[in-house]
Amino acid sequence: MELSLKEKASNAKNIFKGQSLPMIPQEVLLLKEELTKKYPNTVTIANLISKNPENLSLFLKIANSNVINQDAQIKDAKAAVNFIGLGDLFNLFLSSVLSRLLVKGLRDQEIMKEGIQTGIVAAELSYWVYNVSRSEAFMLGLLQNVGYLFMRRYDPNYDDWIAKLKTNPFTMAESESQHYQTDHAVLSSVLGRKWDMPDKIVKPVLFHHDKKFVAKLENHEGYAQMVALIMVATYIVYSSNDEQYLTQELKDYRDLGKEFLGLPDKALKAGRAALEKWGGSGNLISGSH
């Protein structure tokens, strides 16, 4: 019998017990407060983004991968404020801070780097998806598998599940849920909620391994679009990083998302090009511990 999302969320909170969940840093809260003002101060915004040099470095990498005009490279926080809309700016800054705070070792770095890569591809694909911004697509790509980090800390053997989820995203997600009575997608969503991310990001995360997502989200087409978008982006990242992941089930995963969105082949080519340009250069992320 399939557990309800409420039951899975309750079980997820038990997994989180005993683990240290990062609190939202003060600069993020102050940035959000500034952005909600009638007339946000751009100097204050740039100073908050620049407060932590390591956060700034990752933020600039992420920001450059998300700007539409690739010729206008963002080299500092002031330029980011000028080139990126304020709403998108907050999403990308929050993503960069979250990425660093969650990392506790090399394996965590690998997982988060893959999340950033997926976000980069999703941002590029969002051009073909109505009413989805580049920063929303990026944030969803990053958040979807954050639950991996906490499942690994709960179960030292969880890396085996990660490998299987990459090759068989539908069947292994069902097995994961049965085995743990919850799953990494639920943990990701719970953390996204804790960090006050919008429903448009948090809720689609719950369904990114669910082949019945269209039916389950029939009254929420916007959420379904986000799920489909992340399915295609995930396929592009996995199939590009290692051919061993290129199974029939992973192709079915791609096709389900691609057909729902009606994506043309050139969209997937653009996603691959964005991954090659922004996703593989140097060390995208370094730990904060």
PDB file of all heavy atoms in Angstrom, residues 82-114:
ATOM      1  N   ASN A  82      22.329  44.872 -11.645  1.00  0.00           N
ATOM      2  CA  ASN A  82      21.968  45.577 -12.870  1.00  0.00           C
ATOM      3  C   ASN A  82      21.444  44.648 -13.961  1.00  0.00           C
ATOM      4  O   ASN A  82      20.556  45.016 -14.733  1.00  0.00           O
ATOM      5  CB  ASN A  82      23.174  46.357 -13.402  1.00  0.00           C
ATOM      6  CG  ASN A  82      23.565  47.520 -12.506  1.00  0.00           C
ATOM      7  OD1 ASN A  82      22.723  48.077 -11.813  1.00  0.00           O
ATOM      8  ND2 ASN A  82      24.842  47.866 -12.494  1.00  0.00           N
ATOM      9  N   PHE A  83      21.999  43.427 -14.027  1.00  0.00           N
ATOM     10  CA  PHE A  83      21.664  42.524 -15.132  1.00  0.00           C
ATOM     11  C   PHE A  83      20.523  41.557 -14.831  1.00  0.00           C
ATOM     12  O   PHE A  83      19.891  41.036 -15.739  1.00  0.00           O
ATOM     13  CB  PHE A  83      22.902  41.710 -15.546  1.00  0.00           C
ATOM     14  CG  PHE A  83      23.862  42.462 -16.412  1.00  0.00           C
ATOM     15  CD1 PHE A  83      25.112  42.814 -15.933  1.00  0.00           C
ATOM     16  CD2 PHE A  83      23.521  42.815 -17.709  1.00  0.00           C
ATOM     17  CE1 PHE A  83      26.007  43.516 -16.727  1.00  0.00           C
ATOM     18  CE2 PHE A  83      24.407  43.508 -18.505  1.00  0.00           C
ATOM     19  CZ  PHE A  83      25.660  43.862 -18.011  1.00  0.00           C
ATOM     20  N   ILE A  84      20.275  41.301 -13.564  1.00  0.00           N
ATOM     21  CA  ILE A  84      19.292  40.276 -13.184  1.00  0.00           C
ATOM     22  C   ILE A  84      18.129  40.935 -12.457  1.00  0.00           C
ATOM     23  O   ILE A  84      18.326  41.800 -11.597  1.00  0.00           O
ATOM     24  CB  ILE A  84      19.926  39.208 -12.263  1.00  0.00           C
ATOM     25  CG1 ILE A  84      21.117  38.547 -12.968  1.00  0.00           C
ATOM     26  CG2 ILE A  84      18.902  38.143 -11.889  1.00  0.00           C
ATOM     27  CD1 ILE A  84      21.855  37.565 -12.092  1.00  0.00           C
ATOM     28  N   GLY A  85      16.916  40.527 -12.772  1.00  0.00           N
ATOM     29  CA  GLY A  85      15.744  41.017 -12.062  1.00  0.00           C
ATOM     30  C   GLY A  85      15.841  40.685 -10.587  1.00  0.00           C
ATOM     31  O   GLY A  85      16.416  39.669 -10.201  1.00  0.00           O
ATOM     32  N   LEU A  86      15.267  41.547  -9.742  1.00  0.00           N
ATOM     33  CA  LEU A  86      15.437  41.383  -8.299  1.00  0.00           C
ATOM     34  C   LEU A  86      14.854  40.071  -7.777  1.00  0.00           C
ATOM     35  O   LEU A  86      15.411  39.453  -6.877  1.00  0.00           O
ATOM     36  CB  LEU A  86      14.814  42.569  -7.568  1.00  0.00           C
ATOM     37  CG  LEU A  86      15.513  43.922  -7.816  1.00  0.00           C
ATOM     38  CD1 LEU A  86      14.871  45.009  -6.973  1.00  0.00           C
ATOM     39  CD2 LEU A  86      17.011  43.843  -7.539  1.00  0.00           C
ATOM     40  N   GLY A  87      13.724  39.623  -8.345  1.00  0.00           N
ATOM     41  CA  GLY A  87      13.156  38.350  -7.923  1.00  0.00           C
ATOM     42  C   GLY A  87      14.073  37.194  -8.259  1.00  0.00           C
ATOM     43  O   GLY A  87      14.322  36.298  -7.442  1.00  0.00           O
ATOM     44  N   ASP A  88      14.616  37.215  -9.468  1.00  0.00           N
ATOM     45  CA  ASP A  88      15.550  36.175  -9.883  1.00  0.00           C
ATOM     46  C   ASP A  88      16.830  36.237  -9.056  1.00  0.00           C
ATOM     47  O   ASP A  88      17.427  35.214  -8.716  1.00  0.00           O
ATOM     48  CB  ASP A  88      15.900  36.328 -11.371  1.00  0.00           C
ATOM     49  CG  ASP A  88      14.746  35.917 -12.272  1.00  0.00           C
ATOM     50  OD1 ASP A  88      13.902  35.125 -11.817  1.00  0.00           O
ATOM     51  OD2 ASP A  88      14.686  36.390 -13.413  1.00  0.00           O
ATOM     52  N   LEU A  89      17.254  37.437  -8.740  1.00  0.00           N
ATOM     53  CA  LEU A  89      18.459  37.636  -7.949  1.00  0.00           C
ATOM     54  C   LEU A  89      18.351  36.901  -6.614  1.00  0.00           C
ATOM     55  O   LEU A  89      19.292  36.209  -6.194  1.00  0.00           O
ATOM     56  CB  LEU A  89      18.667  39.130  -7.706  1.00  0.00           C
ATOM     57  CG  LEU A  89      20.002  39.536  -7.093  1.00  0.00           C
ATOM     58  CD1 LEU A  89      21.032  39.745  -8.189  1.00  0.00           C
ATOM     59  CD2 LEU A  89      19.859  40.824  -6.288  1.00  0.00           C
ATOM     60  N   PHE A  90      17.210  37.033  -5.948  1.00  0.00           N
ATOM     61  CA  PHE A  90      17.037  36.373  -4.654  1.00  0.00           C
ATOM     62  C   PHE A  90      17.070  34.856  -4.814  1.00  0.00           C
ATOM     63  O   PHE A  90      17.717  34.156  -4.031  1.00  0.00           O
ATOM     64  CB  PHE A  90      15.725  36.798  -3.993  1.00  0.00           C
ATOM     65  CG  PHE A  90      15.511  36.135  -2.666  1.00  0.00           C
ATOM     66  CD1 PHE A  90      16.196  36.580  -1.537  1.00  0.00           C
ATOM     67  CD2 PHE A  90      14.657  35.054  -2.541  1.00  0.00           C
ATOM     68  CE1 PHE A  90      16.029  35.950  -0.313  1.00  0.00           C
ATOM     69  CE2 PHE A  90      14.481  34.420  -1.320  1.00  0.00           C
ATOM     70  CZ  PHE A  90      15.168  34.876  -0.200  1.00  0.00           C
ATOM     71  N   ASN A  91      16.373  34.340  -5.819  1.00  0.00           N
ATOM     72  CA  ASN A  91      16.365  32.893  -6.039  1.00  0.00           C
ATOM     73  C   ASN A  91      17.777  32.352  -6.224  1.00  0.00           C
ATOM     74  O   ASN A  91      18.145  31.310  -5.663  1.00  0.00           O
ATOM     75  CB  ASN A  91      15.532  32.550  -7.274  1.00  0.00           C
ATOM     76  CG  ASN A  91      14.047  32.707  -7.046  1.00  0.00           C
ATOM     77  OD1 ASN A  91      13.585  32.816  -5.909  1.00  0.00           O
ATOM     78  ND2 ASN A  91      13.277  32.749  -8.122  1.00  0.00           N
ATOM     79  N   LEU A  92      18.571  33.029  -7.027  1.00  0.00           N
ATOM     80  CA  LEU A  92      19.920  32.556  -7.328  1.00  0.00           C
ATOM     81  C   LEU A  92      20.845  32.697  -6.127  1.00  0.00           C
ATOM     82  O   LEU A  92      21.697  31.837  -5.874  1.00  0.00           O
ATOM     83  CB  LEU A  92      20.486  33.316  -8.529  1.00  0.00           C
ATOM     84  CG  LEU A  92      19.717  33.132  -9.847  1.00  0.00           C
ATOM     85  CD1 LEU A  92      20.357  33.951 -10.955  1.00  0.00           C
ATOM     86  CD2 LEU A  92      19.648  31.669 -10.241  1.00  0.00           C
ATOM     87  N   PHE A  93      20.680  33.774  -5.362  1.00  0.00           N
ATOM     88  CA  PHE A  93      21.508  33.947  -4.167  1.00  0.00           C
ATOM     89  C   PHE A  93      21.170  32.894  -3.126  1.00  0.00           C
ATOM     90  O   PHE A  93      22.064  32.283  -2.529  1.00  0.00           O
ATOM     91  CB  PHE A  93      21.316  35.346  -3.590  1.00  0.00           C
ATOM     92  CG  PHE A  93      22.198  35.623  -2.406  1.00  0.00           C
ATOM     93  CD1 PHE A  93      23.575  35.691  -2.552  1.00  0.00           C
ATOM     94  CD2 PHE A  93      21.661  35.820  -1.139  1.00  0.00           C
ATOM     95  CE1 PHE A  93      24.405  35.934  -1.455  1.00  0.00           C
ATOM     96  CE2 PHE A  93      22.479  36.072  -0.049  1.00  0.00           C
ATOM     97  CZ  PHE A  93      23.850  36.140  -0.210  1.00  0.00           C
ATOM     98  N   LEU A  94      19.889  32.665  -2.905  1.00  0.00           N
ATOM     99  CA  LEU A  94      19.471  31.632  -1.965  1.00  0.00           C
ATOM    100  C   LEU A  94      20.015  30.271  -2.395  1.00  0.00           C
ATOM    101  O   LEU A  94      20.498  29.492  -1.570  1.00  0.00           O
ATOM    102  CB  LEU A  94      17.944  31.589  -1.863  1.00  0.00           C
ATOM    103  CG  LEU A  94      17.348  30.528  -0.931  1.00  0.00           C
ATOM    104  CD1 LEU A  94      17.827  30.731   0.495  1.00  0.00           C
ATOM    105  CD2 LEU A  94      15.822  30.568  -0.983  1.00  0.00           C
ATOM    106  N   SER A  95      19.966  29.985  -3.683  1.00  0.00           N
ATOM    107  CA  SER A  95      20.481  28.710  -4.200  1.00  0.00           C
ATOM    108  C   SER A  95      21.969  28.565  -3.925  1.00  0.00           C
ATOM    109  O   SER A  95      22.439  27.497  -3.520  1.00  0.00           O
ATOM    110  CB  SER A  95      20.225  28.605  -5.705  1.00  0.00           C
ATOM    111  OG  SER A  95      18.842  28.582  -5.994  1.00  0.00           O
ATOM    112  N   SER A  96      22.716  29.641  -4.138  1.00  0.00           N
ATOM    113  CA  SER A  96      24.163  29.567  -3.935  1.00  0.00           C
ATOM    114  C   SER A  96      24.513  29.368  -2.464  1.00  0.00           C
ATOM    115  O   SER A  96      25.400  28.576  -2.121  1.00  0.00           O
ATOM    116  CB  SER A  96      24.846  30.819  -4.493  1.00  0.00           C
ATOM    117  OG  SER A  96      24.466  31.975  -3.785  1.00  0.00           O
ATOM    118  N   VAL A  97      23.806  30.059  -1.584  1.00  0.00           N
ATOM    119  CA  VAL A  97      24.063  29.929  -0.149  1.00  0.00           C
ATOM    120  C   VAL A  97      23.703  28.523   0.323  1.00  0.00           C
ATOM    121  O   VAL A  97      24.467  27.883   1.066  1.00  0.00           O
ATOM    122  CB  VAL A  97      23.268  30.982   0.642  1.00  0.00           C
ATOM    123  CG1 VAL A  97      23.379  30.734   2.147  1.00  0.00           C
ATOM    124  CG2 VAL A  97      23.774  32.380   0.314  1.00  0.00           C
ATOM    125  N   LEU A  98      22.557  28.038  -0.101  1.00  0.00           N
ATOM    126  CA  LEU A  98      22.115  26.703   0.288  1.00  0.00           C
ATOM    127  C   LEU A  98      23.115  25.654  -0.176  1.00  0.00           C
ATOM    128  O   LEU A  98      23.453  24.722   0.563  1.00  0.00           O
ATOM    129  CB  LEU A  98      20.739  26.415  -0.314  1.00  0.00           C
ATOM    130  CG  LEU A  98      20.122  25.053   0.009  1.00  0.00           C
ATOM    131  CD1 LEU A  98      19.869  24.927   1.502  1.00  0.00           C
ATOM    132  CD2 LEU A  98      18.813  24.860  -0.761  1.00  0.00           C
ATOM    133  N   SER A  99      23.611  25.802  -1.406  1.00  0.00           N
ATOM    134  CA  SER A  99      24.565  24.842  -1.954  1.00  0.00           C
ATOM    135  C   SER A  99      25.789  24.694  -1.066  1.00  0.00           C
ATOM    136  O   SER A  99      26.248  23.584  -0.795  1.00  0.00           O
ATOM    137  CB  SER A  99      25.017  25.286  -3.352  1.00  0.00           C
ATOM    138  OG  SER A  99      23.933  25.350  -4.243  1.00  0.00           O
ATOM    139  N   ARG A 100      26.308  25.802  -0.591  1.00  0.00           N
ATOM    140  CA  ARG A 100      27.523  25.757   0.220  1.00  0.00           C
ATOM    141  C   ARG A 100      27.246  25.265   1.642  1.00  0.00           C
ATOM    142  O   ARG A 100      28.032  24.494   2.189  1.00  0.00           O
ATOM    143  CB  ARG A 100      28.175  27.141   0.281  1.00  0.00           C
ATOM    144  CG  ARG A 100      28.833  27.564  -1.029  1.00  0.00           C
ATOM    145  CD  ARG A 100      29.785  28.722  -0.817  1.00  0.00           C
ATOM    146  NE  ARG A 100      30.859  28.372   0.079  1.00  0.00           N
ATOM    147  CZ  ARG A 100      30.931  28.681   1.378  1.00  0.00           C
ATOM    148  NH1 ARG A 100      29.960  29.353   1.963  1.00  0.00           N
ATOM    149  NH2 ARG A 100      31.962  28.321   2.102  1.00  0.00           N
ATOM    150  N   LEU A 101      26.160  25.684   2.226  1.00  0.00           N
ATOM    151  CA  LEU A 101      25.891  25.336   3.622  1.00  0.00           C
ATOM    152  C   LEU A 101      25.661  23.847   3.827  1.00  0.00           C
ATOM    153  O   LEU A 101      25.938  23.304   4.893  1.00  0.00           O
ATOM    154  CB  LEU A 101      24.672  26.108   4.134  1.00  0.00           C
ATOM    155  CG  LEU A 101      24.893  27.564   4.539  1.00  0.00           C
ATOM    156  CD1 LEU A 101      23.590  28.163   5.017  1.00  0.00           C
ATOM    157  CD2 LEU A 101      25.955  27.689   5.616  1.00  0.00           C
ATOM    158  N   LEU A 102      25.164  23.169   2.809  1.00  0.00           N
ATOM    159  CA  LEU A 102      24.800  21.761   2.962  1.00  0.00           C
ATOM    160  C   LEU A 102      25.981  20.812   2.787  1.00  0.00           C
ATOM    161  O   LEU A 102      25.908  19.652   3.164  1.00  0.00           O
ATOM    162  CB  LEU A 102      23.714  21.392   1.950  1.00  0.00           C
ATOM    163  CG  LEU A 102      22.349  22.041   2.153  1.00  0.00           C
ATOM    164  CD1 LEU A 102      21.390  21.620   1.051  1.00  0.00           C
ATOM    165  CD2 LEU A 102      21.773  21.669   3.515  1.00  0.00           C
ATOM    166  N   VAL A 103      27.062  21.303   2.222  1.00  0.00           N
ATOM    167  CA  VAL A 103      28.189  20.431   1.874  1.00  0.00           C
ATOM    168  C   VAL A 103      29.082  20.158   3.077  1.00  0.00           C
ATOM    169  O   VAL A 103      29.528  21.082   3.756  1.00  0.00           O
ATOM    170  CB  VAL A 103      29.004  21.067   0.732  1.00  0.00           C
ATOM    171  CG1 VAL A 103      30.331  20.351   0.549  1.00  0.00           C
ATOM    172  CG2 VAL A 103      28.205  21.027  -0.562  1.00  0.00           C
ATOM    173  N   LYS A 104      29.350  18.867   3.322  1.00  0.00           N
ATOM    174  CA  LYS A 104      30.209  18.472   4.440  1.00  0.00           C
ATOM    175  C   LYS A 104      31.372  17.579   4.004  1.00  0.00           C
ATOM    176  O   LYS A 104      32.107  17.088   4.837  1.00  0.00           O
ATOM    177  CB  LYS A 104      29.384  17.757   5.514  1.00  0.00           C
ATOM    178  CG  LYS A 104      28.398  18.663   6.235  1.00  0.00           C
ATOM    179  CD  LYS A 104      27.751  17.947   7.398  1.00  0.00           C
ATOM    180  CE  LYS A 104      26.849  18.890   8.187  1.00  0.00           C
ATOM    181  NZ  LYS A 104      26.214  18.214   9.355  1.00  0.00           N
ATOM    182  N   GLY A 105      31.494  17.327   2.727  1.00  0.00           N
ATOM    183  CA  GLY A 105      32.577  16.474   2.262  1.00  0.00           C
ATOM    184  C   GLY A 105      32.587  16.401   0.749  1.00  0.00           C
ATOM    185  O   GLY A 105      31.745  16.996   0.072  1.00  0.00           O
ATOM    186  N   LEU A 106      33.557  15.660   0.211  1.00  0.00           N
ATOM    187  CA  LEU A 106      33.716  15.570  -1.238  1.00  0.00           C
ATOM    188  C   LEU A 106      32.505  14.959  -1.928  1.00  0.00           C
ATOM    189  O   LEU A 106      32.097  15.398  -3.003  1.00  0.00           O
ATOM    190  CB  LEU A 106      34.972  14.760  -1.568  1.00  0.00           C
ATOM    191  CG  LEU A 106      36.308  15.431  -1.244  1.00  0.00           C
ATOM    192  CD1 LEU A 106      37.472  14.485  -1.548  1.00  0.00           C
ATOM    193  CD2 LEU A 106      36.466  16.725  -2.048  1.00  0.00           C
ATOM    194  N   ARG A 107      31.917  13.940  -1.324  1.00  0.00           N
ATOM    195  CA  ARG A 107      30.749  13.305  -1.941  1.00  0.00           C
ATOM    196  C   ARG A 107      29.571  14.272  -1.965  1.00  0.00           C
ATOM    197  O   ARG A 107      28.821  14.335  -2.949  1.00  0.00           O
ATOM    198  CB  ARG A 107      30.365  12.031  -1.181  1.00  0.00           C
ATOM    199  CG  ARG A 107      29.206  11.261  -1.800  1.00  0.00           C
ATOM    200  CD  ARG A 107      29.563  10.674  -3.137  1.00  0.00           C
ATOM    201  NE  ARG A 107      28.428   9.961  -3.700  1.00  0.00           N
ATOM    202  CZ  ARG A 107      27.794  10.298  -4.812  1.00  0.00           C
ATOM    203  NH1 ARG A 107      28.197  11.354  -5.507  1.00  0.00           N
ATOM    204  NH2 ARG A 107      26.769   9.601  -5.251  1.00  0.00           N
ATOM    205  N   ASP A 108      29.418  15.034  -0.905  1.00  0.00           N
ATOM    206  CA  ASP A 108      28.376  16.069  -0.898  1.00  0.00           C
ATOM    207  C   ASP A 108      28.620  17.078  -2.016  1.00  0.00           C
ATOM    208  O   ASP A 108      27.681  17.528  -2.679  1.00  0.00           O
ATOM    209  CB  ASP A 108      28.359  16.807   0.443  1.00  0.00           C
ATOM    210  CG  ASP A 108      27.738  15.996   1.568  1.00  0.00           C
ATOM    211  OD1 ASP A 108      27.310  14.855   1.304  1.00  0.00           O
ATOM    212  OD2 ASP A 108      27.696  16.502   2.696  1.00  0.00           O
ATOM    213  N   GLN A 109      29.883  17.439  -2.217  1.00  0.00           N
ATOM    214  CA  GLN A 109      30.223  18.373  -3.290  1.00  0.00           C
ATOM    215  C   GLN A 109      29.781  17.825  -4.644  1.00  0.00           C
ATOM    216  O   GLN A 109      29.236  18.552  -5.481  1.00  0.00           O
ATOM    217  CB  GLN A 109      31.732  18.626  -3.332  1.00  0.00           C
ATOM    218  CG  GLN A 109      32.244  19.572  -2.273  1.00  0.00           C
ATOM    219  CD  GLN A 109      33.720  19.887  -2.455  1.00  0.00           C
ATOM    220  OE1 GLN A 109      34.220  19.906  -3.568  1.00  0.00           O
ATOM    221  NE2 GLN A 109      34.417  20.122  -1.360  1.00  0.00           N
ATOM    222  N   GLU A 110      30.032  16.541  -4.867  1.00  0.00           N
ATOM    223  CA  GLU A 110      29.662  15.913  -6.138  1.00  0.00           C
ATOM    224  C   GLU A 110      28.150  15.967  -6.353  1.00  0.00           C
ATOM    225  O   GLU A 110      27.674  16.263  -7.449  1.00  0.00           O
ATOM    226  CB  GLU A 110      30.135  14.457  -6.162  1.00  0.00           C
ATOM    227  CG  GLU A 110      31.647  14.288  -6.177  1.00  0.00           C
ATOM    228  CD  GLU A 110      32.071  12.845  -5.957  1.00  0.00           C
ATOM    229  OE1 GLU A 110      31.175  11.962  -5.865  1.00  0.00           O
ATOM    230  OE2 GLU A 110      33.287  12.590  -5.858  1.00  0.00           O
ATOM    231  N   ILE A 111      27.414  15.683  -5.298  1.00  0.00           N
ATOM    232  CA  ILE A 111      25.951  15.685  -5.392  1.00  0.00           C
ATOM    233  C   ILE A 111      25.434  17.091  -5.677  1.00  0.00           C
ATOM    234  O   ILE A 111      24.575  17.297  -6.547  1.00  0.00           O
ATOM    235  CB  ILE A 111      25.330  15.120  -4.101  1.00  0.00           C
ATOM    236  CG1 ILE A 111      25.617  13.617  -3.992  1.00  0.00           C
ATOM    237  CG2 ILE A 111      23.821  15.375  -4.059  1.00  0.00           C
ATOM    238  CD1 ILE A 111      25.258  13.009  -2.646  1.00  0.00           C
ATOM    239  N   MET A 112      25.958  18.078  -4.964  1.00  0.00           N
ATOM    240  CA  MET A 112      25.498  19.446  -5.167  1.00  0.00           C
ATOM    241  C   MET A 112      25.933  19.989  -6.524  1.00  0.00           C
ATOM    242  O   MET A 112      25.210  20.750  -7.162  1.00  0.00           O
ATOM    243  CB  MET A 112      26.005  20.353  -4.044  1.00  0.00           C
ATOM    244  CG  MET A 112      25.404  20.052  -2.672  1.00  0.00           C
ATOM    245  SD  MET A 112      23.589  20.026  -2.662  1.00  0.00           S
ATOM    246  CE  MET A 112      23.216  21.725  -3.045  1.00  0.00           C
ATOM    247  N   LYS A 113      27.133  19.596  -6.982  1.00  0.00           N
ATOM    248  CA  LYS A 113      27.568  20.018  -8.307  1.00  0.00           C
ATOM    249  C   LYS A 113      26.607  19.483  -9.368  1.00  0.00           C
ATOM    250  O   LYS A 113      26.240  20.202 -10.310  1.00  0.00           O
ATOM    251  CB  LYS A 113      28.984  19.524  -8.599  1.00  0.00           C
ATOM    252  CG  LYS A 113      29.464  19.903  -9.999  1.00  0.00           C
ATOM    253  CD  LYS A 113      30.866  19.397 -10.276  1.00  0.00           C
ATOM    254  CE  LYS A 113      31.291  19.743 -11.697  1.00  0.00           C
ATOM    255  NZ  LYS A 113      32.658  19.269 -12.017  1.00  0.00           N
ATOM    256  N   GLU A 114      26.193  18.238  -9.204  1.00  0.00           N
ATOM    257  CA  GLU A 114      25.233  17.661 -10.138  1.00  0.00           C
ATOM    258  C   GLU A 114      23.907  18.407 -10.094  1.00  0.00           C
ATOM    259  O   GLU A 114      23.248  18.600 -11.116  1.00  0.00           O
ATOM    260  CB  GLU A 114      25.017  16.185  -9.798  1.00  0.00           C
ATOM    261  CG  GLU A 114      24.617  15.330 -10.984  1.00  0.00           C
ATOM    262  CD  GLU A 114      24.788  13.859 -10.677  1.00  0.00           C
ATOM    263  OE1 GLU A 114      24.034  13.344  -9.812  1.00  0.00           O
ATOM    264  OE2 GLU A 114      25.665  13.230 -11.279  1.00  0.00           O
TER     265      GLU A 114
END
